[in-house]
Short mmCIF file of all heavy atoms in Angstrom, two decimals:
data_model
loop_
_atom_site.label_atom_id
_atom_site.label_comp_id
_atom_site.label_asym_id
_atom_site.label_seq_id
_atom_site.Cartn_x
_atom_site.Cartn_y
_atom_site.Cartn_z
N GLN A 1 0.83 -1.20 0.00
CA GLN A 1 0.00 0.00 0.00
C GLN A 1 0.87 1.26 0.00
O GLN A 1 0.58 2.21 -0.73
CB GLN A 1 -0.94 0.01 1.21
CG GLN A 1 -1.92 1.15 1.21
CD GLN A 1 -2.95 1.07 0.10
OE1 GLN A 1 -3.41 0.00 -0.23
NE2 GLN A 1 -3.29 2.19 -0.48
N ARG A 2 1.91 1.26 0.81
CA ARG A 2 2.82 2.42 0.83
C ARG A 2 3.47 2.62 -0.53
O ARG A 2 3.62 3.76 -1.00
CB ARG A 2 3.88 2.24 1.92
CG ARG A 2 3.33 2.41 3.33
CD ARG A 2 4.42 2.50 4.38
NE ARG A 2 5.31 1.35 4.40
CZ ARG A 2 5.10 0.22 5.06
NH1 ARG A 2 4.00 0.08 5.78
NH2 ARG A 2 5.98 -0.76 5.02
N LYS A 3 3.83 1.52 -1.19
CA LYS A 3 4.45 1.59 -2.51
C LYS A 3 3.46 2.15 -3.53
O LYS A 3 3.81 2.99 -4.36
CB LYS A 3 4.90 0.19 -2.91
CG LYS A 3 5.89 0.12 -4.00
CD LYS A 3 6.34 -1.33 -4.17
CE LYS A 3 7.44 -1.45 -5.18
NZ LYS A 3 7.88 -2.83 -5.37
N ALA A 4 2.20 1.71 -3.46
CA ALA A 4 1.17 2.19 -4.37
C ALA A 4 0.90 3.68 -4.15
O ALA A 4 0.73 4.43 -5.12
CB ALA A 4 -0.12 1.39 -4.17
N ILE A 5 0.87 4.11 -2.91
CA ILE A 5 0.66 5.53 -2.60
C ILE A 5 1.79 6.37 -3.17
O ILE A 5 1.56 7.41 -3.80
CB ILE A 5 0.51 5.74 -1.08
CG1 ILE A 5 -0.79 5.13 -0.58
CG2 ILE A 5 0.58 7.22 -0.73
CD1 ILE A 5 -0.90 5.03 0.93
N LYS A 6 3.01 5.92 -2.97
CA LYS A 6 4.18 6.66 -3.47
C LYS A 6 4.14 6.75 -5.00
O LYS A 6 4.38 7.82 -5.57
CB LYS A 6 5.46 5.97 -3.02
CG LYS A 6 6.71 6.71 -3.42
CD LYS A 6 7.95 6.02 -2.87
CE LYS A 6 9.20 6.78 -3.30
NZ LYS A 6 10.40 6.16 -2.77
N LYS A 7 3.79 5.66 -5.67
CA LYS A 7 3.69 5.65 -7.12
C LYS A 7 2.62 6.62 -7.60
O LYS A 7 2.83 7.39 -8.54
CB LYS A 7 3.40 4.22 -7.61
CG LYS A 7 3.32 4.09 -9.10
CD LYS A 7 3.04 2.66 -9.50
CE LYS A 7 2.90 2.53 -11.00
NZ LYS A 7 2.55 1.16 -11.41
N TYR A 8 1.45 6.59 -6.94
CA TYR A 8 0.36 7.49 -7.30
C TYR A 8 0.77 8.95 -7.12
O TYR A 8 0.51 9.79 -7.98
CB TYR A 8 -0.88 7.20 -6.45
CG TYR A 8 -2.00 8.19 -6.69
CD1 TYR A 8 -2.87 8.03 -7.75
CD2 TYR A 8 -2.16 9.31 -5.87
CE1 TYR A 8 -3.88 8.94 -7.99
CE2 TYR A 8 -3.16 10.22 -6.10
CZ TYR A 8 -4.02 10.03 -7.17
OH TYR A 8 -5.01 10.96 -7.40
N GLU A 9 1.42 9.25 -5.99
CA GLU A 9 1.82 10.63 -5.71
C GLU A 9 2.85 11.12 -6.72
O GLU A 9 2.83 12.28 -7.12
CB GLU A 9 2.34 10.74 -4.29
CG GLU A 9 1.23 10.65 -3.26
CD GLU A 9 1.72 10.72 -1.83
OE1 GLU A 9 2.94 10.58 -1.59
OE2 GLU A 9 0.87 10.89 -0.94
N GLN A 10 3.75 10.24 -7.15
CA GLN A 10 4.74 10.63 -8.16
C GLN A 10 4.06 10.88 -9.50
O GLN A 10 4.40 11.83 -10.21
CB GLN A 10 5.82 9.56 -8.29
CG GLN A 10 6.75 9.51 -7.12
CD GLN A 10 7.73 8.34 -7.19
OE1 GLN A 10 7.53 7.38 -7.92
NE2 GLN A 10 8.78 8.43 -6.40
N LYS A 11 3.11 10.04 -9.85
CA LYS A 11 2.42 10.16 -11.13
C LYS A 11 1.51 11.38 -11.16
O LYS A 11 1.31 11.99 -12.20
CB LYS A 11 1.59 8.89 -11.38
CG LYS A 11 0.91 8.85 -12.71
CD LYS A 11 0.15 7.55 -12.89
CE LYS A 11 -0.59 7.53 -14.21
NZ LYS A 11 -1.40 6.32 -14.36
N ASN A 12 0.97 11.77 -10.01
CA ASN A 12 0.01 12.87 -9.93
C ASN A 12 0.53 14.02 -9.08
O ASN A 12 -0.21 14.62 -8.31
CB ASN A 12 -1.31 12.33 -9.36
CG ASN A 12 -1.91 11.28 -10.24
OD1 ASN A 12 -2.40 11.57 -11.31
ND2 ASN A 12 -1.86 10.03 -9.80
N ALA A 13 1.79 14.35 -9.25
CA ALA A 13 2.43 15.38 -8.42
C ALA A 13 1.75 16.75 -8.59
O ALA A 13 1.53 17.46 -7.61
CB ALA A 13 3.90 15.48 -8.75
N ALA A 14 1.41 17.11 -9.81
CA ALA A 14 0.80 18.42 -10.05
C ALA A 14 -0.58 18.50 -9.38
O ALA A 14 -0.92 19.52 -8.79
CB ALA A 14 0.67 18.69 -11.55
N GLU A 15 -1.35 17.42 -9.47
CA GLU A 15 -2.67 17.40 -8.84
C GLU A 15 -2.54 17.47 -7.32
O GLU A 15 -3.29 18.18 -6.65
CB GLU A 15 -3.41 16.12 -9.23
CG GLU A 15 -4.81 16.05 -8.69
CD GLU A 15 -5.52 14.77 -9.10
OE1 GLU A 15 -5.23 14.25 -10.18
OE2 GLU A 15 -6.36 14.32 -8.31
N LYS A 16 -1.56 16.78 -6.78
CA LYS A 16 -1.33 16.80 -5.33
C LYS A 16 -0.94 18.21 -4.89
O LYS A 16 -1.44 18.71 -3.88
CB LYS A 16 -0.23 15.81 -4.96
CG LYS A 16 0.05 15.76 -3.48
CD LYS A 16 1.16 14.78 -3.16
CE LYS A 16 1.49 14.84 -1.69
NZ LYS A 16 2.67 14.07 -1.36
N GLN A 17 -0.07 18.85 -5.65
CA GLN A 17 0.35 20.21 -5.32
C GLN A 17 -0.85 21.16 -5.37
O GLN A 17 -1.01 22.01 -4.50
CB GLN A 17 1.44 20.67 -6.29
CG GLN A 17 1.99 22.04 -5.97
CD GLN A 17 3.04 22.48 -6.96
OE1 GLN A 17 2.93 22.22 -8.16
NE2 GLN A 17 4.06 23.15 -6.49
N TYR A 18 -1.71 21.00 -6.37
CA TYR A 18 -2.91 21.83 -6.49
C TYR A 18 -3.80 21.67 -5.26
O TYR A 18 -4.25 22.65 -4.67
CB TYR A 18 -3.68 21.44 -7.76
CG TYR A 18 -5.03 22.09 -7.89
CD1 TYR A 18 -5.15 23.39 -8.39
CD2 TYR A 18 -6.19 21.43 -7.50
CE1 TYR A 18 -6.39 24.00 -8.50
CE2 TYR A 18 -7.42 22.04 -7.60
CZ TYR A 18 -7.52 23.31 -8.11
OH TYR A 18 -8.75 23.91 -8.21
N ARG A 19 -4.06 20.42 -4.87
CA ARG A 19 -4.91 20.16 -3.69
C ARG A 19 -4.30 20.75 -2.42
O ARG A 19 -5.00 21.34 -1.59
CB ARG A 19 -5.14 18.66 -3.51
CG ARG A 19 -6.11 18.06 -4.50
CD ARG A 19 -6.50 16.64 -4.10
NE ARG A 19 -5.39 15.81 -3.70
CZ ARG A 19 -4.71 14.98 -4.49
NH1 ARG A 19 -5.04 14.88 -5.75
NH2 ARG A 19 -3.72 14.26 -4.01
N ASN A 20 -2.99 20.60 -2.27
CA ASN A 20 -2.33 21.13 -1.08
C ASN A 20 -2.43 22.65 -1.01
O ASN A 20 -2.70 23.22 0.05
CB ASN A 20 -0.86 20.70 -1.04
CG ASN A 20 -0.69 19.24 -0.69
OD1 ASN A 20 -1.59 18.60 -0.18
ND2 ASN A 20 0.48 18.71 -0.97
N LYS A 21 -2.21 23.31 -2.15
CA LYS A 21 -2.30 24.77 -2.18
C LYS A 21 -3.73 25.25 -1.93
O LYS A 21 -3.95 26.24 -1.24
CB LYS A 21 -1.77 25.31 -3.50
CG LYS A 21 -0.27 25.21 -3.61
CD LYS A 21 0.24 25.81 -4.89
CE LYS A 21 1.76 25.75 -4.93
NZ LYS A 21 2.31 26.44 -6.09
N LYS A 22 -4.69 24.52 -2.50
CA LYS A 22 -6.10 24.87 -2.30
C LYS A 22 -6.46 24.76 -0.82
O LYS A 22 -7.10 25.65 -0.25
CB LYS A 22 -6.97 23.95 -3.15
CG LYS A 22 -8.44 24.27 -3.10
CD LYS A 22 -9.20 23.35 -4.05
CE LYS A 22 -10.67 23.59 -3.98
NZ LYS A 22 -11.41 22.70 -4.90
N TYR A 23 -6.05 23.67 -0.19
CA TYR A 23 -6.33 23.48 1.23
C TYR A 23 -5.65 24.56 2.07
O TYR A 23 -6.27 25.12 2.98
CB TYR A 23 -5.87 22.09 1.68
CG TYR A 23 -5.96 21.92 3.16
CD1 TYR A 23 -7.19 21.70 3.78
CD2 TYR A 23 -4.85 22.03 3.98
CE1 TYR A 23 -7.29 21.56 5.16
CE2 TYR A 23 -4.93 21.91 5.35
CZ TYR A 23 -6.16 21.67 5.93
OH TYR A 23 -6.25 21.56 7.29
N ALA A 24 -4.39 24.85 1.76
CA ALA A 24 -3.66 25.86 2.54
C ALA A 24 -4.32 27.23 2.41
O ALA A 24 -4.42 27.97 3.40
CB ALA A 24 -2.21 25.92 2.07
N THR A 25 -4.79 27.55 1.21
CA THR A 25 -5.47 28.83 0.99
C THR A 25 -6.75 28.92 1.81
O THR A 25 -7.00 29.91 2.49
CB THR A 25 -5.78 29.01 -0.51
OG1 THR A 25 -4.56 28.95 -1.24
CG2 THR A 25 -6.47 30.33 -0.77
N LYS A 26 -7.55 27.86 1.73
CA LYS A 26 -8.80 27.85 2.49
C LYS A 26 -8.53 27.95 3.98
O LYS A 26 -9.19 28.71 4.70
CB LYS A 26 -9.59 26.58 2.19
CG LYS A 26 -10.89 26.51 2.95
CD LYS A 26 -11.63 25.23 2.68
CE LYS A 26 -12.89 25.17 3.55
NZ LYS A 26 -13.57 23.89 3.44
N ASN A 27 -7.55 27.20 4.44
CA ASN A 27 -7.20 27.20 5.86
C ASN A 27 -6.76 28.60 6.31
O ASN A 27 -7.18 29.09 7.36
CB ASN A 27 -6.10 26.18 6.13
CG ASN A 27 -5.90 25.93 7.60
OD1 ASN A 27 -6.85 25.78 8.35
ND2 ASN A 27 -4.65 25.88 8.00
N PHE A 28 -5.94 29.25 5.51
CA PHE A 28 -5.48 30.60 5.84
C PHE A 28 -6.66 31.56 5.92
O PHE A 28 -6.80 32.31 6.89
CB PHE A 28 -4.46 31.10 4.82
CG PHE A 28 -4.09 32.54 5.02
CD1 PHE A 28 -3.24 32.90 6.04
CD2 PHE A 28 -4.62 33.53 4.21
CE1 PHE A 28 -2.91 34.24 6.25
CE2 PHE A 28 -4.30 34.86 4.42
CZ PHE A 28 -3.44 35.22 5.44
N ILE A 29 -7.50 31.54 4.89
CA ILE A 29 -8.61 32.49 4.84
C ILE A 29 -9.60 32.27 5.99
O ILE A 29 -10.04 33.22 6.62
CB ILE A 29 -9.33 32.40 3.47
CG1 ILE A 29 -8.41 32.94 2.38
CG2 ILE A 29 -10.64 33.17 3.49
CD1 ILE A 29 -8.91 32.71 0.97
N THR A 30 -9.91 31.01 6.27
CA THR A 30 -10.94 30.74 7.28
C THR A 30 -10.44 30.82 8.71
O THR A 30 -11.23 31.05 9.62
CB THR A 30 -11.59 29.36 7.05
OG1 THR A 30 -10.58 28.35 7.11
CG2 THR A 30 -12.31 29.31 5.72
N LYS A 31 -9.12 30.65 8.92
CA LYS A 31 -8.64 30.58 10.30
C LYS A 31 -7.67 31.69 10.70
O LYS A 31 -7.60 32.02 11.88
CB LYS A 31 -7.97 29.23 10.54
CG LYS A 31 -8.95 28.08 10.41
CD LYS A 31 -8.31 26.76 10.69
CE LYS A 31 -9.34 25.65 10.55
NZ LYS A 31 -8.78 24.34 10.80
N LEU A 32 -6.95 32.26 9.75
CA LEU A 32 -5.88 33.18 10.14
C LEU A 32 -6.00 34.59 9.58
O LEU A 32 -5.42 35.52 10.14
CB LEU A 32 -4.52 32.60 9.69
CG LEU A 32 -4.14 31.24 10.26
CD1 LEU A 32 -2.89 30.72 9.58
CD2 LEU A 32 -3.94 31.33 11.75
N ALA A 33 -6.70 34.75 8.48
CA ALA A 33 -6.71 36.03 7.77
C ALA A 33 -7.29 37.17 8.61
O ALA A 33 -8.30 37.00 9.29
CB ALA A 33 -7.49 35.90 6.47
N THR A 34 -6.64 38.31 8.50
CA THR A 34 -7.14 39.53 9.13
C THR A 34 -8.10 40.20 8.15
O THR A 34 -8.23 39.78 6.99
CB THR A 34 -5.99 40.49 9.44
OG1 THR A 34 -5.39 40.90 8.20
CG2 THR A 34 -4.95 39.84 10.33
N ASP A 35 -8.75 41.26 8.59
CA ASP A 35 -9.63 42.01 7.69
C ASP A 35 -8.87 42.52 6.48
O ASP A 35 -9.38 42.48 5.35
CB ASP A 35 -10.28 43.18 8.43
CG ASP A 35 -11.31 42.74 9.45
OD1 ASP A 35 -11.78 41.58 9.36
OD2 ASP A 35 -11.64 43.54 10.35
N GLU A 36 -7.65 43.00 6.71
CA GLU A 36 -6.82 43.50 5.61
C GLU A 36 -6.50 42.37 4.62
O GLU A 36 -6.55 42.57 3.40
CB GLU A 36 -5.52 44.09 6.16
CG GLU A 36 -4.65 44.72 5.09
CD GLU A 36 -3.38 45.33 5.67
OE1 GLU A 36 -3.36 45.65 6.87
OE2 GLU A 36 -2.43 45.50 4.90
N ASP A 37 -6.18 41.20 5.14
CA ASP A 37 -5.89 40.04 4.28
C ASP A 37 -7.11 39.69 3.42
O ASP A 37 -6.98 39.41 2.23
CB ASP A 37 -5.51 38.81 5.11
CG ASP A 37 -4.20 38.96 5.84
OD1 ASP A 37 -3.32 39.70 5.37
OD2 ASP A 37 -4.06 38.33 6.92
N ILE A 38 -8.27 39.72 4.02
CA ILE A 38 -9.49 39.38 3.29
C ILE A 38 -9.76 40.39 2.19
O ILE A 38 -10.16 40.01 1.07
CB ILE A 38 -10.69 39.26 4.26
CG1 ILE A 38 -10.48 38.03 5.14
CG2 ILE A 38 -12.01 39.18 3.51
CD1 ILE A 38 -11.46 37.88 6.28
N LEU A 39 -9.51 41.65 2.44
CA LEU A 39 -9.68 42.67 1.40
C LEU A 39 -8.71 42.42 0.25
O LEU A 39 -9.08 42.55 -0.93
CB LEU A 39 -9.47 44.07 1.98
CG LEU A 39 -10.56 44.56 2.91
CD1 LEU A 39 -10.17 45.90 3.53
CD2 LEU A 39 -11.89 44.66 2.19
N LEU A 40 -7.48 42.05 0.57
CA LEU A 40 -6.50 41.73 -0.48
C LEU A 40 -6.95 40.53 -1.30
O LEU A 40 -6.87 40.53 -2.53
CB LEU A 40 -5.13 41.43 0.14
CG LEU A 40 -4.29 42.62 0.56
CD1 LEU A 40 -3.09 42.16 1.37
CD2 LEU A 40 -3.82 43.38 -0.67
N VAL A 41 -7.42 39.51 -0.64
CA VAL A 41 -7.88 38.31 -1.33
C VAL A 41 -9.06 38.64 -2.24
O VAL A 41 -9.12 38.17 -3.39
CB VAL A 41 -8.23 37.18 -0.33
CG1 VAL A 41 -8.93 36.03 -1.03
CG2 VAL A 41 -6.99 36.70 0.39
N LYS A 42 -9.97 39.44 -1.77
CA LYS A 42 -11.11 39.85 -2.59
C LYS A 42 -10.63 40.57 -3.85
O LYS A 42 -11.16 40.35 -4.95
CB LYS A 42 -12.07 40.74 -1.80
CG LYS A 42 -12.92 40.00 -0.82
CD LYS A 42 -13.85 40.96 -0.10
CE LYS A 42 -14.74 40.26 0.89
NZ LYS A 42 -15.65 41.19 1.58
N ASP A 43 -9.64 41.43 -3.69
CA ASP A 43 -9.09 42.15 -4.84
C ASP A 43 -8.44 41.17 -5.82
O ASP A 43 -8.64 41.28 -7.03
CB ASP A 43 -8.07 43.19 -4.35
CG ASP A 43 -7.56 44.06 -5.47
OD1 ASP A 43 -8.38 44.53 -6.29
OD2 ASP A 43 -6.33 44.28 -5.54
N TRP A 44 -7.68 40.22 -5.31
CA TRP A 44 -7.04 39.22 -6.18
C TRP A 44 -8.08 38.38 -6.91
O TRP A 44 -7.92 38.05 -8.08
CB TRP A 44 -6.12 38.30 -5.38
CG TRP A 44 -4.96 39.00 -4.73
CD1 TRP A 44 -4.34 40.15 -5.14
CD2 TRP A 44 -4.29 38.60 -3.53
NE1 TRP A 44 -3.34 40.49 -4.27
CE2 TRP A 44 -3.28 39.55 -3.28
CE3 TRP A 44 -4.45 37.55 -2.65
CZ2 TRP A 44 -2.42 39.45 -2.19
CZ3 TRP A 44 -3.60 37.45 -1.57
CH2 TRP A 44 -2.60 38.40 -1.34
N LEU A 45 -9.16 38.03 -6.20
CA LEU A 45 -10.22 37.25 -6.83
C LEU A 45 -10.88 38.04 -7.96
O LEU A 45 -11.16 37.49 -9.03
CB LEU A 45 -11.28 36.84 -5.80
CG LEU A 45 -10.86 35.75 -4.83
CD1 LEU A 45 -11.90 35.60 -3.72
CD2 LEU A 45 -10.68 34.44 -5.55
N LYS A 46 -11.12 39.30 -7.73
CA LYS A 46 -11.72 40.16 -8.76
C LYS A 46 -10.80 40.23 -9.98
O LYS A 46 -11.25 40.11 -11.12
CB LYS A 46 -11.99 41.56 -8.18
CG LYS A 46 -12.54 42.54 -9.17
CD LYS A 46 -13.93 42.15 -9.62
CE LYS A 46 -14.49 43.22 -10.54
NZ LYS A 46 -15.22 42.67 -11.67
N GLN A 47 -9.49 40.40 -9.73
CA GLN A 47 -8.53 40.45 -10.83
C GLN A 47 -8.53 39.13 -11.62
O GLN A 47 -8.51 39.13 -12.85
CB GLN A 47 -7.13 40.74 -10.31
CG GLN A 47 -6.92 42.13 -9.80
CD GLN A 47 -5.55 42.31 -9.16
OE1 GLN A 47 -4.66 41.51 -9.34
NE2 GLN A 47 -5.41 43.38 -8.38
#
């Protein structure tokens, strides 16, 4: 199972990186962001 997981992660590295960044972004916004951070994120989303 560990070997299969490692093979999958190597084959799908870009997808794994995408999921990790998506999770980190959500986690930051929902748990750590200040009002100023949220305004910046809104601006980036609009752009």
